[in-house]
Amino acid sequence: MSWYRNAVWFLKGLREYTRSGYDSASKHFVPADLEVNVTGRSFMITGANSGIGKATAMEIAKRGGTLHLVCRNKERAEEAKREITTETGNRNIFLHILDMSNPKGIWEFAEKFKTEHKLNVLINNAGCMVNRRELTEDGLEKNFATNTLGTYILTTALLPLLANEDDPRVIIVSSGGMLVQKLDVSDLQSENVTFDGTMVYAQNKAHSPACVQQHRNGVLDLELPLTS
């Protein structure tokens, strides 16, 4: 990380990514913008059993939306569903257990989902930060497989389903941490650097939206291990 990026991250982080940053930004929120009814609209949230994903699911449930919670851990997912259902009274909440580091599993899930459900909004929130270089059974670096490739596969697979609906949205939850790294597409799996989980995560969070956008622009073609 260069001194410049370090300084920018520190200053921007203090101003925007702390509680005081939220308090400052919230002064400009328009309350009416948040009071919406999304009954009849369907939302998919990855990593929905904790943190930002769970908080988002809770707010959407309060506003009447149909929720598809995509989680890796079944026990934690079921607990989150019970909590959201109890607090909001919303019964239109469905669980899908999926490992976002498994390309073939993601593709098969998306293909099946398209035959059974509609979808208005996809929220790519799931992520991980593994601090030692680990490979999946497909030979993919774990952070890249989850944070970047998994997001890419799920999004591109579901785009046709989203296109069937009015005002479809794809939201990719990134991180201010990506500011500490310059985007590098020459070493997506961190094979040629000293492995640092935090810096790899920063790269992943920069890559995810870039990959989806380049795919939509017709300039990205990845060979993915989707078949056995």
Side-chain angles (χ1 to χ4, degrees):
M1 175 169 34
S2 70
W3 69 267
Y4 172 75
R5 287 183 177 276
N6 196 358
V8 169
W9 163 246
F10 180 76
L11 294 174
K12 188 175 181 65
L14 283 179
R15 187 174 68 251
E16 298 180 11
Y17 303 135
T18 60
R19 178 57 185 265
S20 61
Y22 171 81
D23 290 341
S24 176
S26 66
K27 295 176 182 178
H28 304 285
F29 292 172
V30 179
D33 289 346
L34 303 177
E35 297 307 317
V36 295
N37 187 320
V38 292
T39 299
R41 288 178 66 81
S42 178
F43 299 76
M44 179 184 292
I45 308 174
T46 65
N49 59 269
S50 63
I52 293 173
K54 182 180 176 183
T56 302
M58 185 73 77
E59 292 304 316
I60 291 172
K62 289 177 180 177
R63 290 161 174 77
T66 296
L67 282 168
H68 294 276
L69 311 181
V70 177
C71 308
R72 182 176 59 85
N73 186 294
K74 183 178 181 180
E75 183 178 334
R76 293 176 63 189
E78 290 176 341
E79 181 180 347
K81 178 185 175 181
R82 283 194 297 270
E83 184 178 336
I84 294 169
T85 301
T86 299
E87 183 165 333
T88 68
N90 190 329
R91 301 293 174 180
N92 294 316
I93 302 175
F94 304 90
L95 288 184
H96 307 276
I97 306 305
L98 180 65
D99 183 350
M100 287 297 292
S101 71
N102 183 337
K104 183 180 178 182
I106 296 169
W107 185 266
E108 291 175 344
F109 161 73
E111 290 300 295
K112 185 173 186 293
F113 187 91
K114 286 188 289 189
T115 67
E116 299 175 347
H117 304 282
K118 75 167 194 172
L119 186 64
N120 298 93
V121 181
L122 168 61
I123 303 175
N124 290 296
N125 168 72
C128 72
M129 186 190 297
V130 179
N131 290 312
R132 297 177 61 185
R133 194 169 194 276
E134 297 180 15
L135 300 182
T136 68
E137 62 181 19
D138 296 304
L140 300 167
E141 192 277 312
K142 186 78 169 182
N143 292 295
F144 167 76
T146 303
N147 301 331
T148 302
L149 187 57
T151 295
Y152 171 82
I153 295 171
L154 184 63
T155 301
T156 53
L158 291 176
L159 282 177
L161 183 63
L162 286 158
N164 292 333
E165 304 300 328
D166 292 331
D167 195 25
R169 303 293 178 93
V170 175
I171 298 169
I172 299 177
V173 179
S174 188
S175 168
M178 75 179 193
L179 297 174
V180 303
Q181 285 281 291
K182 183 178 180 180
L183 183 62
D184 179 9
V185 297
S186 66
D187 188 20
L188 293 176
Q189 298 201 63
S190 309
E191 297 174 286
N192 303 318
V193 295
T194 301
F195 194 86
D196 181 324
T198 302
M199 295 301 105
V200 170
Y201 178 83
Q203 278 287 326
N204 295 163
K205 286 300 184 178
H207 285 144
S208 296
C211 282
V212 173
Q213 185 58 51
Q214 288 186 54
H215 172 82
R216 295 199 69 188
N217 290 342
V219 298
L220 182 67
D221 184 16
L222 297 178
E223 183 177 341
L224 309 176
L226 301 180
T227 57
S228 56

